[in-house]
Amino acid sequence: MRIAVVGAGFMGRSYAQIVQAHPLAELAGVVDVNPAVAAGAAAEFGVPAYGSLDELLAVGAIDGAIVATVEDTHLEPCLAAFAAGAGVLVEKPLASTIADGEAIVAAADAAGKPLLVGHVLHFDARYMQLHAAVRSGVIGEPLTLYARRLNGIAAQDRLQGRCSLPLFLGVHDYDIVRWIAGSEVTEVVARERRGFLAGRGANVEDAIVSLLTFANGALATVELGWILPDSHPTGFDQRLDVNGSKGRVELVGHESGVVVMDSARLSWPDTQLWPTLNGQVDGALRRETWHFIDCLRGVAEPLISGADGMAALRIALAAEESARTGASVRV
């Protein structure tokens, strides 16, 4: 499978390394609008660099494209890939607007090619085990869920307000609680806190708390923020609790099972999402990428469909609207 990677930042380079390590895949090239970034990635992986996916496609055909550009630039490369007869793995969120998301899904349907939305937590063994436990019925009917995803202040030193909390962080958990609850969200009520990060030059929310109501009667609280101090061991704090009619399951996402302590601080190195093991990117991101290659080969169907990506996007945008207006929003 000849695969192009569009967007040569941290995620794009991680995907590129995983593609190169797959026995049935070939990295066709890397694409980035920044010539220096594209050239650096090309040198790292020994493949050609391009300024757009159209430039790459003019040189040769591909079987798939991994789109890892910033959140509001997914539409153009996705449409180009589908028009060329290639499948797409697009990083979360699927898009930053409903119109763009619907256009991507329509293009995938028209091309008859796989669309996998990169909600990587579906491939994290911990979330997979929690989902399996809930689906097994061991805790009975899911009644309430609580998800927390907090990042450090350093995240906004890097992002500088380029994306909202619901679209950048919240879309992970909006997607996951929908998956775990096994039902669609019908209403969102959200409240936000602003001011602290704005004072540091990033015009975004400090924190948002959302209450989601599901069609099956379950309730979920999702807490988001990016104001953890730099001294936090990992720079992020994650949790998921599910209370059922017969029991409860809990997941602590930031404690990796390994604690490293030096003279200055302690840390929890990543063991689940995209750890580098034996010189290769591994974990949930490798499982996601290899699943995409299986989809391209026709031996699997995308575990996170365009419809799933749209559902998470609608919840995120509803949370933005509710936090902005103070009103509840129907989904």
Side-chain angles (χ1 to χ4, degrees):
M1 298 287 103
R2 282 177 46 80
I3 299 173
V5 171
V6 186
F10 170 79
M11 293 302 296
R13 291 184 187 218
S14 298
Y15 280 119
Q17 187 188 109
I18 296 169
V19 168
Q20 281 201 320
H22 194 289
L24 301 178
E26 173 190 352
L27 183 61
V30 292
V31 176
D32 201 281
V33 294
N34 184 319
V37 172
E44 178 180 350
F45 298 108
V47 299
Y50 303 91
S52 71
L53 184 56
D54 286 333
E55 290 180 20
L56 185 152
L57 291 169
V59 175
I62 59 172
D63 300 290
I66 297 175
V67 178
T69 58
V70 297
E71 296 76 17
D72 60 354
T73 60
H74 291 172
L75 179 62
E76 183 177 343
C78 286
L79 296 187
F82 288 127
V88 171
L89 190 172
V90 58
E91 255 298 321
K92 63 79 196 168
L94 170 64
S96 60
T97 67
I98 297 298
D100 281 7
E102 289 179 339
I104 291 171
V105 174
D109 291 342
K113 294 297 179 179
L115 169 61
L116 174 65
V117 185
H119 285 285
V120 70
L121 298 184
H122 286 258
F123 299 91
D124 183 321
R126 300 166 299 180
Y127 286 87
M128 294 167 75
Q129 291 281 38
L130 187 149
H131 178 264
V134 173
R135 291 281 79 79
S136 75
V138 68
I139 69 162
E141 177 188 1
L143 303 177
T144 63
L145 303 89
Y146 169 71
R148 180 171 71 228
R149 190 164 302 269
L150 309 178
N151 271 18
I153 296 172
Q156 277 308 313
D157 291 340
R158 174 174 58 89
L159 295 170
Q160 287 296 295
R162 86 173 192 207
C163 188
S164 73
L165 256 177
L167 280 175
F168 192 83
L169 288 183
V171 74
H172 279 298
D173 294 288
Y174 302 142
D175 166 70
I176 282 295
V177 295
R178 172 181 174 266
W179 186 43
I180 300 299
S183 181
E184 298 297 339
V185 171
T186 60
E187 185 179 23
V188 177
V189 177
R191 296 295 180 267
E192 67 180 18
R193 197 270 181 208
R194 288 178 179 260
F196 174 67
L197 289 172
R200 295 169 59 95
N203 186 26
V204 292
E205 316 92 337
D206 299 332
I208 288 183
V209 178
S210 303
L211 174 64
L212 314 182
T213 301
F214 290 88
N216 65 2
L219 297 174
T221 304
V222 180
E223 178 187 1
L224 309 171
W226 29 32
I227 50 176
L228 291 179
D230 291 335
S231 58
H232 191 277
T234 57
F236 59 89
D237 178 349
Q238 300 167 358
R239 186 172 186 92
L240 177 60
D241 301 328
V242 184
N243 293 299
S245 56
K246 297 179 181 177
R248 172 182 169 93
V249 286
E250 302 178 351
L251 185 158
V252 179
H254 55 277
E255 295 181 1
S256 66
V258 179
V259 180
V260 177
M261 289 170 273
D262 60 25
S263 59
R265 63 188 298 226
L266 66 85
S267 62
W268 294 305
D270 176 28
T271 60
Q272 298 293 332
L273 290 175
W274 38 75
T276 297
L277 306 175
N278 298 321
Q280 295 292 328
V281 178
D282 209 299
L285 195 68
R286 184 187 67 81
R287 286 190 286 271
E288 177 187 274
T289 309
W290 283 40
H291 172 66
F292 176 56
I293 294 169
D294 283 344
C295 294
L296 296 179
R297 295 173 55 226
V299 298
E301 292 293 324
L303 288 177
I304 307 100
S305 67
D308 295 323
M310 283 300 301
L313 174 61
R314 291 182 190 279
I315 299 166
L317 294 178
E320 283 187 0
E321 180 181 348
S322 179
R324 182 178 67 252
T325 64
S328 65
V329 176
R330 299 290 297 178
V331 181

